[in-house]
């Protein structure tokens, strides 16, 4: 069953045996959500976190700042140039750029303005700077595809990908953090096995969630969306 902010708070407070309106609990709650979401999004890398945004390149300039219309890119998976100039992703033709190293870009095009054309390559100079090679000869639209962090669960944003599709995994990750709040991480704690039990449960649930995402991204067995055959598993 999916969750929303209200039912999530009710479940974790019940599991921690603490009132959902307790002042200490409400102070801790944003940190718990941040820990659980950050960990799952980094480890699971769900397809849901991938976004598409666009930005115009500058003629004769080999650097491009990633667009931030939707949010901030954490990783960039691919870049396309839309041709002809003046076209958009809805009516133009994509020219996929091949990723290379910044050193390759500097070796092939040491001067950004010497050779200009439709770019064929790109490299990540920094999280906020993409190198294009050769430098564009016109102000094309660029399509940037990559991963951004989805909006966090709050009372104002009561439903997220995790509460809808991975509620069990989200609860387990939250409880790992929750046992730290209750000082139940160490061997001298009242329940030293509590955090370890929730960590083990998280890892168990993560296996099936990871397989589901592999199928969604067509990175399952044979680069398909099919679940691995039980016959292919070893004991």
């Amino acid at each position: 069953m999916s969750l929303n902010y209200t039912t999530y708070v009710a479940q974790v407070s019940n599991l921690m045996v603490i009132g959902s309106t307790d002042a200490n609990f409400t102070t801790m709650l944003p940190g718990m959500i941040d820990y659980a979401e950050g960990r799952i999004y980094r480890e699971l890398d769900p397809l849901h976190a991938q976004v598409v945004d666009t930005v115009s390149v500058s003629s004769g300039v080999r650097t491009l700042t990633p667009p931030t219309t939707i949010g901030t890119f954490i990783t960039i998976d691919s870049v396309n140039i839309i041709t002809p100039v003046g076209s958009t992703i809805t009516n133009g033709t994509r020219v996929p750029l091949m990723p290379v190293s910044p050193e390759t870009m500097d070796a092939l095009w040491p001067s950004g303005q010497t050779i200009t054309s439709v770019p064929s390559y790109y490299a990540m100079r920094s999280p906020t700077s993409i190198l294009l090679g050769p430098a564009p000869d016109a102000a094309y639209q660029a399509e940037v595809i990559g991963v951004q962090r989805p909006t966090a669960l709050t009372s104002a944003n009561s439903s997220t990908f995790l509460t809808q599709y991975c509620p069990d995994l989200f609860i387990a990750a939250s409880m790992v953090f929750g046992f730290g709040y209750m000082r139940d991480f160490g061997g001298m704690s009242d329940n030293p096995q509590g955090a370890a039990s929730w960590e083990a449960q998280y890892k168990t649930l993560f296996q099936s969630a990871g397989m589901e995402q592999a199928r969604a991204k067509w990175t399952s067995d044979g680069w398909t969306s099919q679940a691995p055959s039980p016959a292919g598993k070893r004991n």
Side-chain angles (χ1 to χ4, degrees), residues 30-68:
M32 173 186 281
I33 294 173
D34 187 58
Y35 169 86
E37 290 184 335
R39 180 176 183 181
I40 296 173
Y41 283 132
R42 287 191 300 271
E43 296 178 357
L44 188 61
D45 190 26
L47 188 62
H48 178 81
Q50 189 173 79
V51 301
V52 178
D53 204 351
T54 59
V55 64
S56 293
V57 304
S58 297
S59 179
V61 179
R62 75 167 189 163
T63 57
L64 173 67
T65 300
T68 56

Side-chain angles (χ1 to χ4, degrees), residues 212-228:
E212 192 170 64
Q213 283 304 305
R215 295 178 63 191
K217 293 185 284 188
W218 279 65
T219 56
S220 187
D221 283 7
W223 298 100
T224 70
S225 63
Q226 302 303 307

Side-chain angles (χ1 to χ4, degrees), residues 180-222:
Y181 161 75
M182 295 187 292
R183 308 295 195 273
D184 279 334
F185 266 125
M188 297 298 292
S189 64
D190 293 334
N191 185 8
Q193 295 303 315
S197 296
W198 278 109
E199 177 67 20
Q201 179 68 2
Y202 170 85
K203 290 180 178 178
T204 297
L205 294 170
F206 185 86
Q207 292 180 8
S208 59
M211 177 53 63
E212 192 170 64
Q213 283 304 305
R215 295 178 63 191
K217 293 185 284 188
W218 279 65
T219 56
S220 187
D221 283 7

Side-chain angles (χ1 to χ4, degrees), residues 29-229:
L29 185 60
M32 173 186 281
I33 294 173
D34 187 58
Y35 169 86
E37 290 184 335
R39 180 176 183 181
I40 296 173
Y41 283 132
R42 287 191 300 271
E43 296 178 357
L44 188 61
D45 190 26
L47 188 62
H48 178 81
Q50 189 173 79
V51 301
V52 178
D53 204 351
T54 59
V55 64
S56 293
V57 304
S58 297
S59 179
V61 179
R62 75 167 189 163
T63 57
L64 173 67
T65 300
T68 56
T69 306
I70 302 173
T72 301
F73 281 99
I74 298 172
T75 61
I76 291 177
D77 298 325
S78 59
V79 178
N80 299 316
I81 294 295
I82 309 302
T83 61
V85 64
S87 302
T88 67
I89 59 174
T90 59
N91 59 20
T93 300
R94 288 174 174 81
V95 177
L97 305 191
M98 180 177 295
V100 296
S101 68
E103 291 76 13
T104 298
M105 299 289 282
D106 290 342
L108 293 177
W109 296 283
S111 176
Q113 296 180 334
T114 300
I115 301 175
T116 61
S117 184
V118 177
S120 300
Y121 302 88
Y122 81 96
M124 297 303 302
R125 173 67 79 188
S126 73
T128 58
S129 180
I130 303 172
L131 300 180
L132 303 175
D137 59 356
Y140 302 100
Q141 185 178 81
E143 179 183 49
V144 181
I145 304 169
V147 173
Q148 295 185 4
R149 192 69 76 232
T151 304
L153 179 71
T154 62
S155 58
N157 184 50
S158 63
S159 179
T160 68
F161 167 79
L162 297 182
T163 62
Q164 290 293 305
Y165 298 102
C166 306
D168 49 352
L169 188 67
F170 189 39
I171 290 290
S174 298
M175 290 305 296
V176 173
F177 183 93
F179 268 81
Y181 161 75
M182 295 187 292
R183 308 295 195 273
D184 279 334
F185 266 125
M188 297 298 292
S189 64
D190 293 334
N191 185 8
Q193 295 303 315
S197 296
W198 278 109
E199 177 67 20
Q201 179 68 2
Y202 170 85
K203 290 180 178 178
T204 297
L205 294 170
F206 185 86
Q207 292 180 8
S208 59
M211 177 53 63
E212 192 170 64
Q213 283 304 305
R215 295 178 63 191
K217 293 185 284 188
W218 279 65
T219 56
S220 187
D221 283 7
W223 298 100
T224 70
S225 63
Q226 302 303 307
S229 171

